Amino acid sequence: PSPNDNEAHPPTMKGFDVGDDSADAAFFDEEDGGDYGSPLMGMADSVLSDIMSAQTGPQTSMEHIQAFSAAITWNEPFIRCLIAFHVLFIVAAIVLIRKGDIYFRMGLMVVIGVIVRLAERLNQYGNNHWREFSTQNYFDRSGIFMGIMICAPLLVICFVLLVTLIREASNLLVDVKRMKMEAKSNAKKKRAEKSSKKND
């Protein structure tokens, strides 16, 4: 070919003329917008968003409570024994409060504190041996079941016992102050009687 032919037709790349701006623009438009501008991608995104919105978990506190309650098999022996355990502690707390024995109440509070302190180890043991006493594994790593079904009721019982102790302590303080005031008034009366006798 002659030099004139080379000037008329410069080298080409990938089938497009380097000097043709419209061809370059079309080529880069196809590569840049071929994936992102496809209508199929928009349809896939909308389908995925619909699926994710349909699979959202509970939003309100009531929905969380309902989901937690539905996840528990309330008829199995393990759950019944757990409920009986809490009923036993509640009855014991009521009996001790009515009797007014401070030492037994403090002992029950110590037992509750020990159980709550060992909750993490109990949760780990339940996670490893749940097949021996339960139909499903309630003991996850976060300890939600252990916290709600075991620790929370025991802490409520312990709080009630503590409130009764504080109330009794406040009543004792009031009684002591009343006795002091009565003793002072009696002492004043005796002094007044003695002074009146001397004057007579």
Side-chain angles (χ1 to χ4, degrees):
S2 62
N4 295 330
D5 293 336
N6 290 332
E7 292 177 359
H9 301 282
T12 61
M13 182 182 292
K14 294 185 179 180
F16 294 102
D17 193 345
V18 174
D20 191 355
D21 295 336
S22 63
D24 289 340
F27 174 74
F28 287 109
D29 286 339
E30 287 181 2
E31 284 198 347
D32 294 338
D35 293 335
Y36 297 101
S38 175
L40 294 177
M41 294 299 296
M43 293 174 62
D45 292 337
S46 63
V47 170
L48 287 175
S49 63
D50 293 338
I51 292 174
M52 294 301 292
S53 62
Q55 292 181 352
T56 55
Q59 301 296 326
T60 62
S61 59
M62 184 58 66
E63 290 178 355
H64 281 283
I65 293 172
Q66 291 176 354
F68 180 80
S69 177
I72 297 175
T73 307
W74 296 98
N75 294 326
E76 66 173 305
F78 168 66
I79 300 298
R80 290 183 176 179
C81 291
L82 186 59
I83 294 172
F85 170 78
H86 288 305
V87 170
L88 179 63
F89 266 75
I90 292 170
V91 172
I94 293 172
V95 171
L96 292 176
I97 290 171
R98 289 184 176 179
K99 286 186 175 181
D101 194 339
I102 297 176
Y103 296 104
F104 281 104
R105 275 182 285 176
M106 292 180 65
L108 183 61
M109 292 173 65
V110 170
V111 172
I112 291 173
V114 171
I115 295 174
V116 174
R117 182 65 180 84
L118 297 176
E120 185 177 357
R121 294 184 180 180
L122 292 174
N123 186 65
Q124 185 177 1
Y125 179 84
N127 190 14
N128 295 330
H129 302 87
W130 63 271
R131 293 179 181 85
E132 299 176 3
F133 55 86
S134 178
T135 59
Q136 57 178 322
N137 188 8
Y138 297 106
F139 306 94
D140 55 352
R141 291 183 178 179
S142 58
I144 296 175
F145 178 83
M146 178 66 67
I148 295 176
M149 294 295 294
I150 297 177
C151 294
L154 293 176
L155 289 175
V156 170
I157 296 170
C158 188
F159 177 75
V160 172
L161 291 172
L162 182 61
V163 169
T164 57
L165 290 174
I166 293 173
R167 186 184 64 182
E168 289 183 3
S170 63
N171 292 332
L172 287 174
L173 288 175
V174 171
D175 293 337
V176 169
K177 289 182 178 180
R178 186 179 300 169
M179 291 173 66
K180 287 183 178 180
M181 292 177 66
E182 289 178 355
K184 287 181 180 180
S185 63
N186 292 330
K188 287 181 180 180
K189 288 180 180 179
K190 289 180 180 180
R191 288 176 185 175
E193 290 177 356
K194 287 180 180 180
S195 62
S196 63
K197 288 179 179 180
K198 287 180 180 179
N199 293 328
D200 293 338

